[in-house]
């Protein structure tokens, strides 16, 4: 049995007196697409940020590819990793945010090649070749020399996905990546994510796009108030949820 790509056991997180995650247990297998759904404030994005240690957990254990996130265990004790060790681990996990966070002074290609050269020490010539291929893969071969200000929101988000893929991650995290986009631009971003899923990329996707979750997700996890209320095969959870709270949420979301 291989270890799951992500394994959360009793994960807790609080900000001051507010407990945002109340003991999350979740496993994500290699090549699996898991969609996290639920109302705003339910802890979905916080959990995603814990997976790559942008937030430290306050309790429980969180593993990526069999290794503790942010810590190492020796002789029964847990020690926090140094910042450079954390950065090395984080480089193996691609994350795409709601806001594109592109460098405005760099072209699309410049944004994509920066991290591979800086973090992984890839030669510029090789990084450019890889960057061109990735921008072609997300449908932006004709935009490599454009600056972010000249790109639509959907194009900027596709550059952000290409930038994350440039680090050759073993896991991709998507945090509400379409919620800042105009409706007509949403499809072009989701299509790139569909293609990644077909190629076997392991993905955790926080989303309000229920059709995408149903069609592309292997499993859907419904979170509310810091706990997992329901999880199961994507089609079953979206079309025939068991829990009353899931039914209420989907009833509201699918009406719109």
């Amino acid at each position: 049995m291989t270890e799951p790509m992500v394994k959360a056991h009793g994960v807790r997180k609080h900000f001051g007196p507010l407990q945002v995650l109340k003991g999350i247990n979740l496993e994500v297998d290699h090549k699996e697409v898991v969609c996290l759904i639920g109302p705003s404030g339910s802890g979905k994005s916080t959990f995603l940020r814990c997976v790559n240690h942008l937030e430290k957990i306050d309790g429980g254990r969180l593993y990526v590819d069999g290794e503790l996130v942010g810590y190492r265990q020796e002789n029964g004790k847990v020690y926090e990793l140094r910042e450079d060790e954390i950065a090395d681990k984080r480089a193996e996990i691609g994350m795409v945010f709601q806001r594109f966070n592109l460098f405005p002074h760099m072209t699309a290609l410049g944004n994509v090649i920066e991290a591979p050269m800086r973090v992984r020490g890839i030669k510029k010539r090789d990084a450019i070749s890889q960057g061109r291929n990735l921008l072609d893969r997300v449908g932006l071969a004709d935009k490599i020399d454009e600056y972010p200000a000249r790109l639509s929101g959907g194009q900027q988000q596709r550059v952000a996905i290409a930038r994350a893929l440039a680090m050759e991650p073993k896991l991709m995290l998507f945090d509400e990546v379409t919620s800042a986009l105009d409706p007509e631009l949403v499809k072009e971003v989701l299509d790139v994510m569909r293609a990644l899923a077909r190629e076997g990329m392991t993905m955790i996707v926080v989303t309000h796009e229920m059709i995408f979750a149903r069609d592309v997700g292997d499993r859907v996890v419904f979170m509310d108030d810091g706990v997992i209320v329901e999880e199961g095969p994507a089609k079953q959870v979206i079309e025939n949820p068991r829990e009353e709270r899931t039914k209420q949420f989907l009833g509201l979301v699918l009406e719109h």
Side-chain angles (χ1 to χ4, degrees):
M1 284 289 289
T2 56
E3 284 286 318
M5 179 63 84
V6 179
K7 183 177 182 179
H9 180 71
V11 169
R12 298 192 302 281
K13 174 69 185 173
H14 51 75
F15 297 106
L18 179 66
Q19 192 166 9
V20 181
L21 300 176
K22 302 174 180 176
I24 298 294
N25 296 309
L26 182 65
E27 293 188 1
V28 179
D29 286 328
H30 293 255
K31 300 192 174 184
E32 189 176 24
V33 178
V34 172
C35 293
L36 302 184
I37 66 170
S40 297
S42 57
K44 308 181 301 297
S45 294
T46 299
F47 177 72
L48 218 56
R49 293 171 67 84
C50 289
V51 171
N52 71 350
H53 207 59
L54 287 174
E55 301 286 356
K56 291 182 193 177
I57 65 174
D58 298 314
R61 290 279 192 274
L62 188 50
Y63 301 86
V64 171
D65 211 12
E67 295 185 4
L68 274 174
V69 173
Y71 302 89
R72 71 174 181 278
Q73 196 161 348
E74 283 179 15
N75 304 324
K77 289 189 175 177
V78 173
Y79 301 91
E80 189 159 8
L81 297 180
R82 299 190 313 269
E83 272 305 314
D84 61 327
E85 294 174 304
I86 289 169
D88 286 345
K89 295 294 180 196
R90 193 176 286 143
E92 300 175 341
I93 303 171
M95 185 154 183
V96 186
F97 299 89
Q98 181 174 350
R99 298 283 167 192
F100 325 120
N101 299 332
L102 298 179
F103 297 117
H105 62 289
M106 292 182 181
T107 62
L109 184 61
N111 269 279
V112 173
I113 68 175
E114 176 76 0
M117 291 194 307
R118 246 178 222 271
V119 179
R120 294 179 58 218
I122 290 178
K123 290 192 177 77
K124 185 168 186 179
R125 182 182 65 241
D126 296 333
I128 287 173
S129 172
Q130 180 204 40
R132 286 176 177 275
N133 287 337
L134 285 169
L135 286 167
D136 183 35
R137 190 169 156 192
V138 298
L140 292 173
D142 58 335
K143 301 291 184 185
I144 60 172
D145 295 323
E146 295 285 4
Y147 288 88
R150 300 272 310 253
L151 299 173
S152 71
Q155 290 168 338
Q156 289 186 60
Q157 195 60 292
R158 285 187 281 155
V159 172
I161 293 172
R163 178 178 63 180
L165 292 173
M167 293 297 285
E168 298 182 356
K170 53 189 174 185
L171 169 66
M172 284 286 286
L173 309 176
F174 294 90
D175 189 13
E176 299 278 18
V177 296
T178 58
S179 60
L181 301 178
D182 293 331
E184 65 269 23
L185 302 179
V186 168
K187 183 180 181 299
E188 64 192 50
V189 174
L190 293 181
D191 283 347
V192 170
M193 293 166 67
R194 285 174 198 271
L196 282 178
R198 282 196 299 272
E199 291 161 19
M201 175 63 77
T202 311
M203 294 159 55
I204 306 179
V205 183
V206 172
T207 186
H208 284 296
E209 303 288 341
M210 295 303 143
I211 306 303
F212 174 85
R214 182 194 69 192
D215 294 348
V216 181
D218 295 301
R219 270 189 303 142
V220 164
V221 175
F222 173 65
M223 287 179 66
D224 189 25
D225 196 27
V227 299
I228 291 175
V229 177
E230 180 169 352
E231 66 172 296
K235 201 169 185 326
Q236 179 233 300
V237 174
I238 299 291
E239 295 185 353
N240 193 22
R242 296 186 311 271
E243 300 295 330
E244 197 52 47
R245 182 68 190 92
T246 319
K247 290 175 187 171
Q248 286 172 353
F249 172 77
L250 289 168
L252 288 170
V253 173
L254 296 172
E255 279 173 15
H256 296 292

